[in-house]
Amino acid sequence: MNNKSHQNIRAVCAQAIFNVLEEGQSLSATLTALSHQIADKDKALVQEICFGVMRVLPELNFYIHSLMSKVLTGKNRILHYLLLVGIYQILYTRIPEHAAVGETVNAVNTLKKTQLKGLINGVLREFLRQQASLQQTFTQDSKQQNQQTLHPSWLLTRIKQAYPKQWQAIVNANNQKPPMWLRVNLNQYSVSDYQQLLAEQQIESDSFPELPSALRLLSPVGVNKLPYFDEGAVTVQDLSAQYAAYLLAPQNGEHILDMCAAPGGKTTHILEVAPKAQVLAVDIDPSRVKRIGENLARLKQQAEVKVGDGLTPENWCKGRCFDRILLDAPCSATGVIRRHPDIKWLRRDSDIAQLTELQHAILTNIWSYLKTGGTLVYATCSILPDENKLQIERFLQENTSAKLQGELKQFLPTENGGDGFFYAVLKKQS
């Protein structure tokens, strides 16, 4: 596929979706791996289609199952994902119907399934004929109620249990495209000065009085359009994630551990708040650790960066203790579904218990590396109480040296606001 010809875009999309739903790969990772097959001008479209399909997967599957008596399986399974791509374009993009159908049918050649070209063409044309009635059935059929939320039933059950009054708003926010938030580097510009630079590029933005560094773009743009991005003037970071550094309240000269730090957004924010802090950024994933280095370089900051496992801190920080620790714990990521809609289909109900045990083990192991009088901020991008409120309650019961500072903060995803995030600030007493 080295030609990167336009008609192959649908084949690449089908392959990416196959890799997520059949092989369990994350969408971001598979798109990175396939990027050499996509021309730069087509990258935005590929992203729009793949993320869009993940967002509305139950709806698209409903239409395919309504139109086909037999499900495509085995070696032809990838064509099921190609049909998702075709129907998504018809419903959710501005691509003319004839082009959406034609380009999708052409992708069958690229996928070397030429004998099934007629089938793909037939299903897509039948969808066009029956579109109105199929959509009506999907929205009105009470048996489809779970599907209409576009969430798997196990997750819906957990959200309803945790938030009986807010679950509908959470689900609706999860199904939106995410807003684009920026963190202005206040060492270089005030928020109002940077807003002025954006306005000169015809980029509209809103500030957020509660956080001095946050700006929301009214329409997302590529980072190459952001003034002085390469010079470190601004970082793309969600509103809720920006609370981490403020709650940690780092001071110059302190020794600070950023645990599970990749890709480095919070590390760089700590150093913007306290440029003379001694920061150690640690993550278990070597490829993501590289990203921490890249982000530090763009912002011209210094930090020690290591590959390390939170379960075995003695292997990488023996004999050291820290004034402050930020633990952005591995979690279900149920608060950032609108940014990573594949999470809905990659996560399983059984994952939650495993994750809570992992979080508990890391928190317990890292706690002994915090100085007496020091502060630890426990953070997740989850909205599930097991990983958040209940996790902290358990830890406080087991550790008499830990004292909660202030209230637990549980942010829920909101349409024009931040993602779902949780914070607990813990102080270590003697």
Side-chain angles (χ1 to χ4, degrees), residues 33-50:
L34 293 168
S35 63
H36 66 283
Q37 299 178 10
I38 311 162
D40 287 347
K41 67 180 175 61
D42 294 325
K43 284 191 170 149
L45 177 59
V46 169
Q47 207 142 5
E48 157 69 20
I49 292 172
C50 291

Side-chain angles (χ1 to χ4, degrees), residues 1 7-16 78 82 107-108 110-111:
M1 275 200 220
Q7 70 187 42
N8 292 337
I9 294 309
R10 280 78 185 169
V12 174
C13 292
Q15 186 62 57
I78 195 156
L82 184 62
V108 179
T110 309
L111 296 168

Side-chain angles (χ1 to χ4, degrees), residues 6 13 15 61 71 80 94 182 192 206 236 251 254 258-259 267 269 332 341 373 378:
H6 189 70
C13 292
Q15 186 62 57
N61 275 329
V71 178
H80 175 82
R94 293 185 187 156
L182 303 180
S192 56
D206 282 337
V236 178
Q251 306 296 313
E254 288 184 332
D258 185 1
M259 185 69 233
T267 311
H269 197 187
S332 62
Y378 173 87

